[in-house]
Amino acid sequence: MSTRTPVATTETRQYHTTHRQEFITITKDVEDFIAKSGVETGTVTIQSHHTTASIWVNEDEKNLIGPKDKLGYTHDLSRVLDRFADPEEEYGHNDVRDVNNPQGKRDTHLCTPDSCGVVHECINGHAHAQAMILTSSVTMIIEAGKLVKGIWQQIMLVELDHDRERTVTFLAQGLGK
Amino acid sequence: MSTRTPVATTETRQYHTTHRQEFITITKDVEDFIAKSGVETGTVTIQSHHTTASIWVNEDEKNLIGPKDKLGYTHDLSRVLDRFADPEEEYGHNDVRDVNNPQGKRDTHLCTPDSCGVVHECINGHAHAQAMILTSSVTMIIEAGKLVKGIWQQIMLVELDHDRERTVTFLAQGLGK
Amino acid sequence: MSTRTPVATTETRQYHTTHRQEFITITKDVEDFIAKSGVETGTVTIQSHHTTASIWVNEDEKNLIGPKDKLGYTHDLSRVLDRFADPEEEYGHNDVRDVNNPQGKRDTHLCTPDSCGVVHECINGHAHAQAMILTSSVTMIIEAGKLVKGIWQQIMLVELDHDRERTVTFLAQGLGK
């Protein structure tokens, strides 16, 4: 038997996103979690609970990721993502059947109609399509008790829908000391 | 030493896909496997054995994922994937050298020619390209013996080629009770 | 307690890439690493340290992945990736502020100016965008001491920027004999 202790531990965090295509750097939260976990050699898995908010590992340079209101122009990755799946395009997913749209294609949603029978908050076909590009979970390596990452690598939560409350679970597993 | 038992176990399943861009929800198979595995805290990895069939975690809403024959129209993600890499486009990968096409660019394939020297079933350059977007394997978190997943998250096997027999391996690892 | 030994071990390798959109097959390096690791049942994680070099599992057929100088034509995936995010397009990320471009949008980079105050080597907005499609790390399954992979699956390091020195870490974890 190994004399090193097997470890597996989780932590769940909430993030409040403030706008579409916000990229929130969460590297420090992941690194703090790894330090607490006691894993010396192993992996950390970062998993979004959502279908329109993804996890991405890349550079958090402002021209790439925004936000637009500080830049005064659209960030590069917003342009590329919206070209792939335009929010203004027609999606069957967005054609929600309600009192205003009795022939709507989408009748399977669980979004609750308001008191007027109108369904809000489901117009996000583009966000599901963009979520094909990015991934809902990422697994990275822990070595010598620290996250392995290159000089430019940051872990980001990417909001593909509008401002929302988002839940992310971290899991560290491997061998301790 | 931990008093919890380290666990690692696998299971391999076959799926029969029936058409291009079929999205098959396999969440229950993964959850049943986790329950049998005895892992309380850890990860499950779901790996396709294929280069034109991927694993994706998202919402299985019919307007997003089809199938077309029940909808009567093309599902949203089919349109987006085919715009990224059109099946009708020319791919060097599809320019298979055989008796009908002696100058074909592709001479490295292992597809078996039929008795007439014609190679079938290899015309899938678009499916390899679309497989850049989706991933061949996904790792998710197990906590308290259950798959961590948000309310809309389903695990799907995505057929990017035509109807095929597909193989998927599940692995659960972590700590048991 | 399990009588099988928990294992977690890492190895870091350097790769020299020679051109943009080079796909380097590293499957044998990963398989050699797994054999040395002693893991019988578990996972291998392959992680790039970079934001413009990714890991992809797919078929290494020459018409899909090149290189162009041997093919005499652009490989299929180069065309698809560049259509998604064209190197010739304008990116704020590339608008580097230096002596030649004092109004450049990008002032947050750490690229070192040369003795003339000109910043080189940062014109890679397209490569960051293409890195949204591919992923920086991949986790695959180890079963019976061997990498689980389908007949066509190869593990590739994908250079999205120009020729560079690249670092990749492998981690195997799970249960030994």
Side-chain angles (χ1 to χ4, degrees):
Chain A
M1 291 295 293
S2 167
T3 57
R4 295 171 68 191
T5 308
V7 176
T9 183
T10 61
E11 180 175 304
T12 295
R13 280 180 174 257
Q14 311 297 323
Y15 295 93
H16 175 71
T17 66
T18 62
H19 58 271
R20 189 172 82 86
Q21 294 178 336
E22 184 177 20
F23 288 66
I24 300 179
T25 299
I26 63 171
T27 313
K28 186 172 184 310
D29 291 346
V30 176
E31 291 184 320
D32 288 350
F33 166 70
I34 292 169
K36 280 187 292 185
S37 75
V39 174
E40 284 288 305
T41 312
T43 51
V44 61
T45 298
I46 303 109
Q47 182 184 329
S48 164
H49 288 224
H50 306 282
T51 55
T52 57
S54 300
I55 309 296
W56 190 48
V57 177
N58 211 272
E59 184 181 350
D60 59 351
E61 195 271 317
K62 70 180 183 184
N63 292 284
L64 288 175
I65 63 166
K68 183 178 181 176
D69 60 4
K70 285 196 186 167
L71 292 175
Y73 48 87
T74 301
H75 60 77
D76 293 330
L77 299 184
S78 173
R79 184 182 69 250
V80 173
L81 286 167
D82 285 358
R83 187 168 55 205
F84 176 77
D86 192 331
E88 302 301 318
E89 193 175 328
E90 286 192 10
Y91 296 87
H93 184 70
N94 295 354
D95 188 21
V96 176
R97 188 176 304 176
D98 64 19
V99 291
N100 291 335
N101 184 26
Q103 302 302 321
K105 289 171 178 163
R106 182 168 169 199
D107 57 359
T108 57
H109 58 82
L110 299 182
C111 308
T112 309
D114 66 14
S115 60
C116 301
V118 175
V119 176
H120 303 278
E121 306 277 19
C122 284
I123 310 307
N124 61 4
H126 64 285
H128 289 282
Q130 293 178 5
M132 289 196 292
I133 291 185
L134 300 169
T135 56
S136 59
S137 60
V138 165
T139 296
M140 298 178 75
I141 297 171
I142 302 169
E143 189 177 41
K146 300 215 178 286
L147 179 67
V148 170
K149 72 183 181 74
I151 185 168
W152 302 110
Q153 288 183 317
Q154 299 291 339
I155 305 169
M156 291 177 265
L157 171 65
V158 185
E159 178 58 76
L160 297 169
D161 208 338
H162 57 88
D163 58 306
R164 301 276 292 266
E165 298 303 319
R166 298 304 200 175
T167 303
V168 178
T169 296
F170 307 151
L171 172 130
Q173 70 179 344
L175 297 181
K177 283 196 177 165
Chain B
M1 292 292 292
S2 168
T3 56
R4 293 172 67 190
T5 308
V7 176
T9 183
T10 60
E11 180 176 304
T12 295
R13 280 180 174 259
Q14 310 297 323
Y15 295 93
H16 176 70
T17 65
T18 63
H19 59 272
R20 189 171 84 84
Q21 293 179 336
E22 184 177 21
F23 289 65
I24 301 179
T25 299
I26 62 172
T27 313
K28 185 171 184 311
D29 292 347
V30 175
E31 292 184 321
D32 288 350
F33 166 70
I34 291 169
K36 281 187 292 184
S37 75
V39 173
E40 285 288 305
T41 312
T43 52
V44 61
T45 298
I46 303 110
Q47 182 184 328
S48 164
H49 288 224
H50 306 282
T51 56
T52 57
S54 299
I55 308 296
W56 190 48
V57 177
N58 211 272
E59 183 180 350
D60 60 351
E61 194 272 316
K62 69 180 183 183
N63 291 285
L64 288 174
I65 63 166
K68 183 178 180 176
D69 60 3
K70 286 197 185 165
L71 292 175
Y73 48 87
T74 300
H75 59 77
D76 293 331
L77 299 185
S78 172
R79 182 182 72 249
V80 173
L81 287 167
D82 285 357
R83 186 167 57 203
F84 176 76
D86 192 331
E88 302 301 319
E89 192 175 330
E90 287 192 9
Y91 296 87
H93 185 70
N94 295 354
D95 188 20
V96 176
R97 187 176 303 176
D98 64 18
V99 292
N100 291 336
N101 184 27
Q103 302 303 321
K105 288 170 179 165
R106 182 168 170 201
D107 57 359
T108 57
H109 57 82
L110 298 182
C111 307
T112 310
D114 67 13
S115 60
C116 302
V118 175
V119 176
H120 303 278
E121 307 278 19
C122 285
I123 309 307
N124 61 4
H126 64 285
H128 289 282
Q130 294 178 4
M132 291 195 292
I133 292 184
L134 300 169
T135 56
S136 59
S137 60
V138 166
T139 296
M140 298 177 77
I141 297 171
I142 302 168
E143 190 177 41
K146 301 216 177 288
L147 179 67
V148 170
K149 72 183 181 74
I151 185 169
W152 303 110
Q153 288 184 316
Q154 300 291 341
I155 305 169
M156 292 178 263
L157 170 65
V158 185
E159 178 58 77
L160 297 169
D161 209 340
H162 57 88
D163 57 307
R164 299 276 291 267
E165 297 303 320
R166 297 304 200 174
T167 303
V168 178
T169 296
F170 307 150
L171 172 129
Q173 69 179 344
L175 297 181
K177 283 193 177 165
Chain C
M1 291 294 294
S2 166
T3 56
R4 294 172 67 191
T5 308
V7 176
T9 183
T10 60
E11 181 176 302
T12 295
R13 280 181 174 256
Q14 309 298 323
Y15 295 94
H16 176 71
T17 65
T18 63
H19 58 271
R20 189 171 83 84
Q21 293 178 336
E22 183 176 23
F23 288 65
I24 301 179
T25 300
I26 63 172
T27 313
K28 185 171 183 311
D29 292 347
V30 175
E31 291 184 321
D32 288 350
F33 166 70
I34 291 169
K36 279 186 294 184
S37 76
V39 173
E40 284 288 306
T41 312
T43 51
V44 61
T45 298
I46 303 110
Q47 182 184 329
S48 164
H49 288 224
H50 307 282
T51 55
T52 57
S54 299
I55 309 296
W56 190 48
V57 177
N58 212 271
E59 183 181 351
D60 60 351
E61 195 271 316
K62 69 180 183 184
N63 291 285
L64 288 174
I65 63 165
K68 183 179 180 176
D69 60 4
K70 286 197 186 166
L71 292 175
Y73 48 88
T74 300
H75 59 78
D76 293 331
L77 299 184
S78 172
R79 182 183 69 250
V80 173
L81 287 166
D82 285 359
R83 187 168 55 204
F84 176 77
D86 192 330
E88 302 301 318
E89 192 175 327
E90 286 192 12
Y91 296 87
H93 185 68
N94 295 354
D95 188 21
V96 176
R97 187 175 304 175
D98 64 18
V99 292
N100 292 335
N101 184 27
Q103 302 303 321
K105 289 171 179 162
R106 182 168 170 200
D107 57 359
T108 57
H109 58 82
L110 298 182
C111 306
T112 310
D114 67 14
S115 59
C116 301
V118 175
V119 175
H120 303 279
E121 307 275 20
C122 285
I123 310 306
N124 61 3
H126 64 286
H128 289 283
Q130 293 178 5
M132 289 196 292
I133 291 184
L134 300 169
T135 57
S136 59
S137 61
V138 166
T139 296
M140 298 177 76
I141 298 171
I142 302 169
E143 190 177 42
K146 301 218 177 285
L147 179 67
V148 170
K149 72 184 181 75
I151 185 169
W152 302 110
Q153 288 185 317
Q154 300 291 340
I155 305 168
M156 291 178 264
L157 170 65
V158 185
E159 178 59 76
L160 297 170
D161 208 339
H162 58 87
D163 58 305
R164 300 275 293 265
E165 297 304 320
R166 298 303 199 175
T167 303
V168 178
T169 296
F170 306 151
L171 172 129
Q173 69 179 344
L175 297 181
K177 283 194 177 167

